[in-house]
Amino acid sequence: DTGVSQNPRHKITKRGQNVTFRCDPISEHNRLYWYRQTLGQGPEFLTYFQNEAQLEKSRLLSDRFSAERPKGSFSTLEIQRTEQGDSAMYLCASSLVKFGWTDYEQYFGPGTRLTVT
Amino acid sequence: AQKITQTQPGMFVQEKEAVTLDCTYDTSDPSYGLFWYKQPSSGEMIFLIYQGSYDQQNATEGRYSLNFQKARKSANLVISASQLGDSAMYFCAMREGVQDDKIIFGKGTRLHILP
């Protein structure tokens, strides 16, 4: 098991450009989450998927952000018309959740660090 | 109001000593879960320990234990016999309810272990 992987690890882009990040969860995990972490803060929830269905989106996720998980495996997070305030670490996590479970953990990937210049 | 409060932005501890990282939480939901994660300078979030709101006993995982005081809404992490490799950011986090699957994180405590 290779764990959660994210690509790219670092991305530098100019303001106004679009960027896309990819997350590959642990293979048997049915839930996938995206978080954003700015310097000196804890991660903030953005959205999560149960298989291919997007179940919840945070108010932090403006209409410039879109996430997909088309086949219930990997996921992409796209940011359109990037702004300097989008500079952050974008973390992906996955978990295996069965009905009635409550004591499961989320396994995090190494993150993609985005710098908008 | 903050859901998760970590009042210690930074701590310095001598190697081999025990250390307690404070965490208080705020929820009106009777069902919730509490987590501690470690984030080394490399950036990945490493799960350490979990405590369910209905768990009768405090959770333990190796050198980590969670001092769960439900009435005080406190979930402190205790690391016994600290090691140099324990130097990292530590985040307390909470998941509320059984339907909601997002985790809310505190601002973290940076722990420095001194040789």
Side-chain angles (χ1 to χ4, degrees):
Chain A
D1 187 353
T2 56
V4 179
S5 61
Q6 292 185 247
N7 287 289
R9 295 293 307 276
H10 302 272
K11 178 73 177 178
I12 300 174
T13 191
K14 291 186 177 179
R15 186 164 52 96
Q17 297 292 306
N18 299 344
V19 293
T20 300
F21 310 140
R22 176 177 170 128
C23 171
D24 287 88
I26 294 172
S27 59
E28 68 270 21
H29 283 187
N30 52 0
R31 287 202 179 167
L32 187 148
Y33 315 80
W34 285 99
Y35 292 84
R36 180 172 67 188
Q37 186 178 21
T38 53
L39 210 58
Q41 301 293 321
E44 296 172 296
F45 170 81
L46 293 178
T47 188
Y48 86 93
F49 293 83
Q50 167 90 12
N51 299 315
E52 65 274 9
Q54 189 172 19
L55 294 189
E56 187 171 351
K57 287 169 42 172
S58 163
R59 283 171 291 179
L60 293 174
L61 214 65
S62 77
D63 55 7
R64 296 186 299 107
F65 288 70
S66 62
E68 293 183 340
R69 194 182 183 200
K71 296 181 180 178
S73 56
F74 73 91
S75 175
T76 57
L77 178 68
E78 181 183 17
I79 309 174
Q80 296 183 327
R81 306 180 302 281
T82 52
E83 301 172 357
Q84 287 186 322
D86 297 331
S87 295
M89 176 78 88
Y90 290 83
L91 293 165
C92 175
S94 71
S95 63
L96 174 63
V97 181
K98 295 185 179 178
F99 181 76
W101 281 17
T102 58
D103 59 346
Y104 53 91
E105 70 229 42
Q106 295 181 12
Y107 295 84
F108 282 78
T112 295
R113 183 167 295 285
L114 172 66
T115 303
V116 182
T117 61
Chain B
Q2 292 227 352
K3 293 273 189 179
I4 297 287
T5 303
Q6 295 181 253
T7 57
Q8 306 150 311
M11 287 187 71
F12 290 83
V13 173
Q14 208 68 40
E15 190 182 7
K16 297 180 185 165
E17 288 185 353
V19 56
T20 298
L21 304 181
D22 295 340
C23 173
T24 56
Y25 60 92
D26 182 27
T27 182
S28 56
D29 199 312
S31 179
Y32 53 89
L34 297 158
F35 303 79
W36 278 92
Y37 281 86
K38 172 184 178 181
Q39 188 175 42
S41 55
S42 53
E44 78 269 30
M45 298 287 286
I46 301 168
F47 166 77
L48 296 178
I49 198 166
Y50 169 85
Q51 179 85 42
S53 59
Y54 295 117
D55 293 344
Q56 295 296 314
Q57 296 193 337
N58 287 346
T60 60
E61 288 285 349
R63 294 187 299 114
Y64 304 107
S65 60
L66 199 151
N67 184 3
F68 181 44
Q69 297 188 41
K70 197 169 182 177
R72 298 177 63 183
K73 293 189 175 178
S74 164
N76 297 342
L77 176 71
V78 179
I79 306 174
S80 63
S82 57
Q83 302 171 356
L84 295 177
D86 294 334
S87 294
M89 279 291 285
Y90 287 80
F91 291 98
C92 180
M94 176 173 65
R95 181 175 60 227
E96 292 181 292
V98 294
Q99 299 297 325
D100 191 350
D101 201 12
K102 64 176 179 284
I103 292 181
I104 302 164
F105 287 83
K107 293 190 174 184
T109 295
R110 182 166 294 282
L111 177 64
H112 303 268
I113 305 298
L114 304 171

